[in-house]
Amino acid sequence: MRDISGMTLHEFIQKHSPGTQAEFAQKIGISRSYLAEILLGTKLPGRRTIEKIETATMGRVPSHVWFSGAKAEGAQP
């Protein structure tokens, strides 16, 4: 059972995204390369991008997961 904190963006894309990373990036209005940097943990998305991610994932990747103290919670370890 998953805790209420939500899942990471990487988990969502691997398990629930109905398309490619490029399609997900296009859906939220960012480049594929920027999405890759977010997933690698080299970039932390801005507030508007975080809001778009939360909306696009139907709340499965809530905005608060980006602010739990890690460099980028959306990154795969």
Side-chain angles (χ1 to χ4, degrees):
M1 182 173 192
R2 183 127 191 94
D3 67 356
I4 61 169
S5 64
M7 64 177 50
T8 67
L9 181 56
H10 189 270
E11 289 172 327
F12 176 84
I13 289 174
Q14 278 192 320
K15 298 175 185 176
H16 301 289
S17 184
T20 65
Q21 287 183 8
E23 291 168 329
F24 185 81
Q26 183 177 17
K27 181 176 183 175
I28 63 171
I30 64 173
S31 69
R32 164 62 182 89
S33 60
Y34 182 44
L35 176 61
E37 291 176 308
I38 292 169
L39 293 172
L40 289 171
T42 59
K43 297 276 180 151
L44 183 64
R47 182 186 57 82
R48 292 185 71 169
T49 301
I50 289 170
E51 290 170 354
K52 289 178 183 181
I53 290 169
E54 183 171 23
T55 299
T57 63
M58 297 166 285
R60 291 183 178 148
V61 183
S63 58
H64 71 269
V65 300
W66 301 95
F67 304 105
S68 66
K71 179 179 177 186
E73 278 294 321
Q76 180 181 358

